[in-house]
Amino acid sequence: MSGRLRGRFAVITGGGSGIGAATANLFCSEGASVLLVDRDQEALRRTAAAITARTPGAVVQVMAADVADARAAEEAMELVAKTFGGLDVLVNNAAMRNHAAFSDATPHDWHAVVSVNMIGNANFCRYALPLLRKSGNGAIVNVSSCYAVKGRKGMALYDATKAAIIAMTRTLAFEEAEHGIRVNVVCPGSTLTDFHVNRTTAAGKSVEELKTERQDTSLLARWAQPLEIAYPILWMASDEASFITGTTLVVDGGLHIK
């Protein structure tokens, strides 16, 4: 690895598994010190252990918390300031899904998803900004979805909040440019994360069966591996993307043009 984040400090929400865990592994291998935030304490433990096994000497801290809780965002930044002394990168990856059709979704359903996917994202940005401004080279990478830019049925709540993240990203890019903070968004396509694997096995199907289900959802006719999403996130966070802000990068194997 090239040490693209050597000496940098990062916070990754939803860091216990899937894209967040893959991003954390990659960041640490590139020299970053990382705080992982996730509500699943056991997943955080496994991910931290995997990171230190792969990258001896890696600096990784964990915090079990619900990102919908504003106090959690504040406490995460207090921990970062105390442990690392600063912050250079924030990756907002935590998300909640709901499979209700638009006509069936209740106000409670909407509030639950919005509280994680939008307000949780906004809270972590808000409390991270003072530290990122001090960095002089701060970067925020928000994780949205390819379905923020392409329609489908059955995921109205998730897709609407993911589309909102794109708008939030653009606004924040405008507001924070004067402070040297770049703000971008990555929109993954179908990614073979623990969430999908666990949901499939719970339904009595095999992972091999699962892999065949998304052959028609991208031009590449397959799922993405979490690492294939983590690399674009790394790039957006690194100096290699130093002249990029307010940009939406769709990483979906061509799904959005089908």
Side-chain angles (χ1 to χ4, degrees):
M1 294 297 181
S2 61
R4 282 177 280 185
L5 295 181
R6 185 175 292 115
R8 306 279 178 89
F9 306 117
V11 171
I12 301 173
T13 69
S17 61
I19 293 170
T23 301
N25 260 291
L26 191 55
F27 274 31
C28 286
S29 70
E30 290 283 351
S33 300
V34 175
L35 171 65
L36 305 180
V37 181
D38 198 292
R39 66 181 180 180
D40 189 334
Q41 179 73 64
E42 181 58 24
L44 286 170
R45 185 198 64 77
R46 289 195 304 267
T47 297
I51 290 172
T52 53
R54 180 189 180 195
T55 307
V59 178
V60 53
Q61 299 286 326
V62 300
M63 176 180 169
D66 184 349
V67 300
D69 180 1
R71 179 60 184 155
E74 187 175 13
E75 290 176 350
M77 299 311 153
E78 290 172 353
L79 180 58
V80 164
K82 179 180 178 180
T83 305
F84 298 155
L87 180 66
D88 303 291
V89 180
L90 170 64
V91 178
N92 281 307
N93 171 69
M96 177 182 179
R97 291 174 173 82
N98 182 299
H99 297 271
F102 202 106
S103 58
D104 298 327
T106 66
H108 178 269
D109 293 332
W110 277 102
H111 282 294
V113 177
V114 168
S115 69
V116 174
N117 295 5
M118 290 178 59
I119 298 175
N121 183 300
N123 284 335
F124 269 80
C125 286
R126 177 191 176 194
Y127 286 106
L129 287 176
L131 293 173
L132 290 171
R133 288 171 176 175
K134 291 179 182 178
S135 166
N137 194 25
I140 296 174
V141 184
N142 293 321
V143 180
S144 177
S145 167
C146 66
Y147 289 107
V149 298
K150 181 178 176 67
R152 60 176 168 175
K153 63 180 181 179
M155 294 284 286
L157 290 74
Y158 180 83
D159 295 352
T161 54
K162 288 297 187 175
I165 288 173
I166 294 178
M168 291 165 63
T169 296
R170 290 172 179 158
T171 299
L172 197 55
F174 265 104
E175 293 181 353
E176 294 303 315
E178 65 183 278
H179 300 289
I181 301 173
R182 297 182 299 105
V183 191
N184 293 292
V185 58
V186 171
C187 295
S190 300
T191 307
L192 199 61
T193 62
D194 298 337
F195 171 85
H196 291 293
V197 171
N198 293 338
R199 193 163 179 257
T200 296
T201 54
K205 294 191 291 187
S206 70
V207 176
E208 291 307 311
E209 288 179 280
L210 173 65
K211 289 180 179 178
T212 67
E213 292 179 359
R214 299 297 176 96
Q215 291 181 346
D216 62 347
T217 60
S218 77
L219 297 183
L220 301 182
R222 63 174 178 83
W223 293 77
Q225 293 297 319
L227 189 60
E228 293 179 291
I229 311 302
Y231 270 109
I233 294 172
L234 168 67
W235 182 68
M236 282 293 200
S238 75
D239 289 341
E240 294 169 13
S242 59
F243 199 59
I244 300 176
T245 194
T247 292
T248 301
L249 178 59
V250 183
V251 188
D252 67 349
L255 171 62
H256 67 288
I257 65 170
K258 286 191 72 174

